[in-house]
Amino acid sequence: MNTSEKIQLLRQTMQEQNIRACIIPSTDPHISEYTPNCWKTREWISGFTGSAGTIAVTSDKAGLWTDSRYFLQAEEQLKGSGIDLFKSGLPGTPPLKEWLAEELNEEDRIGIEGEVFPASEVRELTAYFSDKNIVICTDFTPYNELWKDRPGIPSGKIFILPESFSGAGAGTKINEVLQAIREEEADLTILGSLDMTAWLFNLRGNDVDFNPVAVCYAIVSSLETVLFIHPEKLTQEASESLRKEGVILADYEKIIPYIQQIPAGKNVLVNPGKINNRIYKAIPEECTIIESAVHPVDRLKSIKNETEITGFKKAMQRDGVALVRFLIWLEKSLAAGEPVSELDVSRKLREFRSEQDFFFGESFGTIAGYAAHGAIVHYGATEDSNAVVQNQGVLLIDSGAQYFDGTTDITRTIAPGPVSDTIKSDYTRVLKGHIALARARFPEGTKGIQLDILARQFLWENGCNYLHGTGHGIGHFLNVHEGPQSIRMEFNPVELQPGMITSNEPGVYRAGSHGIRIENLILTIKDKTTDWGNFYAFETLTLCPIDKKPIDKSLMTEQEINWLNTYHQQVYELLSPSLTEEEKTWLKLQTNEL
């Protein structure tokens, strides 16, 4: 079936159940950013493959709301589908719920699958539409019947990450969580997010593309800690390891009955934005729900221990070696006149990384966008779109890897040949913003929103901007996008703390022409203590030369040039011991002083 046929079948079901509209999100029961195939309902019905987006369908209209990363991709993938694109965040774009309110009448019913909606979002939708006498029905689940070849829940085996990589056993982490929830005056907590359970139990899996997590739930209390997981996913080794840490193993499907039997009077700690509505509603009314905007597990997970930080640095060195070898291959191939396509770039990056110790896989699908494709923020090359790189313009490459000791995420914009003055200006302004953030010194208590302007200021001077965030947290051999911290224009109350690893990735995108982004990972560290308190700084972890060819040196200050030269010196010193003489010679040239 094509998209139009799927939507027509959906509308028939809606009519049969007296549903006037339905909402289909991108999430799964674990409120994941990247979901297992069995829960990619929005992608199945629309054909839009971006990781973020929500669809609303009425009896005669349909719309997709997504953010700026996916505007161009969504326009292409929605052609002929009958689904209108709504560009979130732009003036004149109505929020989804406002659009629905205009389309519906009093006493109409909106159907949603409560199991894949965060409890907090269901609460907001219910409150908004109840004022308009419109009902939210949380049990609208027609997709199993409509989606005939729907994949099953992943059944791959899990494995336990050794303490030599994690730095702490599951028992130690459980005790830290118990202490944290006691401070919140709670008796127990429910964990739904896959990276939270993976971190807590040091378990890893293959259930989600690029993210080494496994489908499961957990409940932690002073009486017992229970992991709810399909039994076929457990190896004998993993089961024994978990039991030794005091973990009780239960079937994945037992989570709801277990919650429903929590004794009356217990205080249950949850983050309503990170557990689904079905889980939330299963908590007995006789219990007190304590809501936390930042769950203790997310806070603990975001502050890396010394073993994790050391692992990150080692992973960055190996990743840097792979990237140097890739860049040499790219330069030689183009110089020899060999055709290099965007898909070739992705394949070769994976090939070079796979040769490194502790390589597990990519941390996300490589974004290799040449020329105009670079302006599509989350572009993914296909056989149809696959462009061949020419000896002019710029190639944007955003890629990363999962290693047992760390996760990498790096963007470089490469100039294979001459570039225009506009590209030089854009590139240099992005670089200046990147350096300004990397050099930041800030007092304890600073939030990401207070630093975001450092990365944007030079673009703003030129009337330019980018609509994505400047920085996101990074998991340790976990999800490449990790909270709770961020650096972005939108307010986030989480303070940046020593041990947090965040991306630094300003960019600029000119539709139909080019895209530019420069990204390194930065570690928040203690800087100094003065009469005004503790001050923090960033340590750049990523090791890879930044292309100097597109730089307009006249726009750079002496401090910025010194930072770049010092960074390149560090890149050479840390990567050269692992390189051949030919590779060292190439890297020396790339990292010489500007």
Side-chain angles (χ1 to χ4, degrees):
M1 290 186 292
N2 60 33
T3 297
S4 298
E5 292 168 333
K6 293 172 185 176
I7 291 178
Q8 185 56 39
L9 282 176
L10 175 60
R11 285 178 172 142
Q12 290 175 12
T13 305
M14 290 164 57
Q15 186 174 11
E16 292 167 3
Q17 299 187 26
N18 192 28
I19 295 293
R20 181 71 171 80
C22 75
I23 305 172
I24 307 172
S26 300
T27 53
D28 60 16
H30 303 275
I31 320 302
S32 308
E33 177 184 12
Y34 298 101
T35 63
N37 291 331
C38 61
W39 284 301
K40 291 183 177 179
T41 309
R42 187 226 65 213
E43 180 178 323
W44 168 77
I45 202 164
S46 69
F48 170 63
T49 59
S51 67
T54 303
I55 286 177
V57 178
T58 69
S59 59
D60 58 354
K61 294 182 181 178
L64 168 75
W65 280 255
T66 191
D67 62 53
S68 63
R69 296 172 296 169
Y70 298 108
F71 289 167
L72 296 178
Q73 177 183 340
E75 284 176 355
E76 183 66 29
Q77 293 182 328
L78 294 179
K79 284 179 181 177
S81 68
I83 301 173
D84 296 323
L85 173 61
F86 290 84
K87 298 179 179 180
S88 299
L90 293 189
T93 299
L96 182 150
K97 59 186 180 183
E98 291 182 12
W99 179 83
L100 275 178
E102 288 293 321
E103 295 294 322
L104 301 179
N105 300 312
E106 287 193 3
E107 299 185 5
D108 279 342
R109 289 156 39 96
I110 299 173
I112 66 172
E113 187 176 7
E115 191 176 30
V116 297
F117 273 79
S120 57
E121 187 172 349
V122 174
R123 180 190 301 162
E124 291 170 7
L125 288 170
T126 301
Y128 180 84
F129 285 105
S130 65
D131 287 344
K132 305 176 188 308
N133 201 22
I134 295 171
V135 178
I136 297 291
C137 305
T138 61
D139 58 353
F140 183 65
T141 58
Y143 308 107
N144 276 336
E145 291 72 32
L146 299 178
W147 190 354
K148 299 300 183 184
D149 56 349
R150 185 173 190 171
I153 295 176
S155 58
K157 303 293 186 183
I158 67 166
F159 62 96
I160 302 300
L161 187 68
E163 282 188 48
S164 57
F165 292 123
S166 70
T172 299
K173 292 181 179 181
I174 289 167
N175 286 332
E176 290 177 346
V177 173
L178 285 171
Q179 180 179 344
I181 66 173
R182 288 190 199 104
E183 292 172 359
E184 302 264 4
E185 299 184 348
D187 299 302
L188 69 148
T189 187
I190 304 171
L191 306 183
S193 296
L194 302 185
D195 62 330
M196 293 169 74
T197 51
W199 174 85
L200 180 61
F201 300 113
N202 288 334
L203 68 84
R204 298 295 188 271
N206 292 281
D207 289 355
V208 182
D209 290 342
F210 309 116
N211 299 320
V213 295
V215 173
C216 58
Y217 292 102
I219 291 181
V220 180
S221 76
S222 56
L223 295 178
E224 60 185 13
T225 295
V226 186
L227 173 64
F228 298 86
I229 188 168
H230 286 296
E232 64 267 24
K233 301 180 69 62
L234 294 164
T235 64
Q236 182 177 349
E237 181 182 5
S239 298
E240 290 176 357
S241 175
L242 290 164
R243 289 191 178 106
K244 284 179 181 178
E245 299 285 358
V247 179
I248 297 170
L249 302 175
D251 189 274
Y252 179 78
E253 307 296 341
K254 301 295 185 181
I255 180 69
I256 295 293
Y258 187 99
I259 293 173
Q260 291 171 334
Q261 294 172 19
I262 295 173
K266 294 295 183 181
N267 294 341
V268 183
L269 177 69
V270 298
N271 178 344
K274 301 196 74 171
I275 62 167
N276 71 57
N277 190 66
R278 183 166 175 253
I279 293 286
Y280 188 91
K281 290 299 182 182
I283 300 172
E285 292 183 0
E286 297 80 9
C287 294
T288 298
I289 299 176
I290 300 173
E291 296 190 356
S292 173
V294 178
H295 195 282
V297 169
D298 278 330
R299 177 176 53 80
L300 291 166
K301 175 165 56 67
S302 71
I303 301 173
K304 314 309 181 199
N305 61 43
E306 288 302 317
T307 300
E308 291 172 318
I309 291 170
T310 299
F312 261 108
K313 292 180 178 181
K314 290 179 179 179
M316 293 295 175
Q317 286 183 269
R318 295 194 303 277
D319 206 54
V321 169
L323 289 161
V324 164
R325 289 172 178 160
F326 162 77
L327 291 170
I328 293 173
W329 166 83
L330 178 64
E331 184 178 287
K332 284 183 175 180
S333 298
L334 294 175
E338 299 172 5
V340 176
S341 71
E342 294 166 334
L343 289 176
D344 290 333
V345 168
S346 299
R347 284 191 286 263
K348 291 301 288 188
L349 274 167
R350 180 179 175 85
E351 177 184 320
F352 284 115
R353 282 182 163 125
S354 67
E355 296 169 354
Q356 299 299 314
D357 290 343
F358 304 134
F359 176 78
F360 183 79
E362 295 169 295
S363 56
F364 56 96
T366 294
I367 300 166
Y370 174 66
H373 286 167
I376 305 173
V377 178
H378 273 207
Y379 170 73
T382 66
E383 294 295 342
D384 292 333
S385 70
N386 192 22
V388 174
V389 180
Q390 306 295 324
N391 288 306
Q392 60 180 354
V394 288
L395 169 66
L396 187 154
I397 308 172
D398 187 354
S399 67
Q402 295 283 8
Y403 300 96
F404 289 118
D405 51 356
T407 299
T408 70
D409 181 3
I410 174 175
T411 307
R412 289 293 183 265
T413 304
I414 309 299
V419 297
S420 67
D421 289 342
T422 299
I423 289 178
K424 281 191 173 183
S425 174
D426 285 348
Y427 184 92
T428 308
R429 291 176 186 278
V430 169
L431 177 58
K432 286 166 68 70
H434 178 96
I435 293 171
L437 182 57
R439 296 182 63 244
R441 300 291 188 273
F442 49 94
E444 181 180 5
T446 297
K447 302 169 180 64
I449 191 173
Q450 296 169 289
L451 300 179
D452 184 79
I453 191 175
L454 295 175
R456 297 180 191 268
Q457 58 184 313
F458 306 104
L459 292 168
W460 286 2
E461 285 177 354
N462 205 36
C464 302
N465 197 12
Y466 54 95
L467 300 182
H468 59 73
T470 299
H472 57 81
I474 305 283
H476 176 264
F477 185 35
L478 271 176
N479 295 1
V480 74
H481 292 158
E482 177 181 272
Q485 82 275 20
S486 64
I487 301 172
R488 58 189 310 118
M489 294 175 69
E490 296 81 8
F491 178 72
N492 178 350
V494 176
E495 300 171 2
L496 295 169
Q497 298 182 53
M500 288 181 169
I501 296 177
T502 312
S503 66
N504 172 5
E505 50 179 311
V508 68
Y509 313 93
R510 296 187 185 271
S513 176
H514 63 270
I516 293 163
R517 185 161 64 250
I518 299 171
E519 176 187 16
N520 286 337
L521 301 188
I522 50 179
L523 168 68
T524 303
I525 59 174
K526 294 180 180 178
D527 183 36
K528 63 183 71 173
T529 299
T530 72
D531 292 342
W532 287 267
N534 296 322
F535 280 75
Y536 300 152
F538 291 126
E539 177 185 347
T540 295
L541 301 181
T542 305
L543 299 170
C544 181
I546 294 171
D547 196 352
K548 301 193 298 291
K549 296 190 292 295
I551 294 175
D552 182 347
K553 191 176 178 180
S554 69
L555 296 177
M556 301 276 285
T557 67
E558 182 179 352
Q559 284 182 322
E560 291 164 347
I561 291 171
N562 288 340
W563 182 93
L564 183 62
N565 289 339
T566 300
Y567 172 70
H568 275 156
Q569 181 181 1
Q570 180 187 35
V571 169
Y572 183 81
E573 289 176 354
L574 292 176
L575 297 188
S576 58
S578 302
L579 301 175
T580 66
E581 290 304 317
E582 179 185 1
E583 292 163 349
K584 288 180 187 177
T585 301
W586 180 90
L587 183 58
K588 190 68 174 176
L589 182 64
Q590 304 305 309
T591 57
N592 62 17
E593 292 193 352
L594 181 65

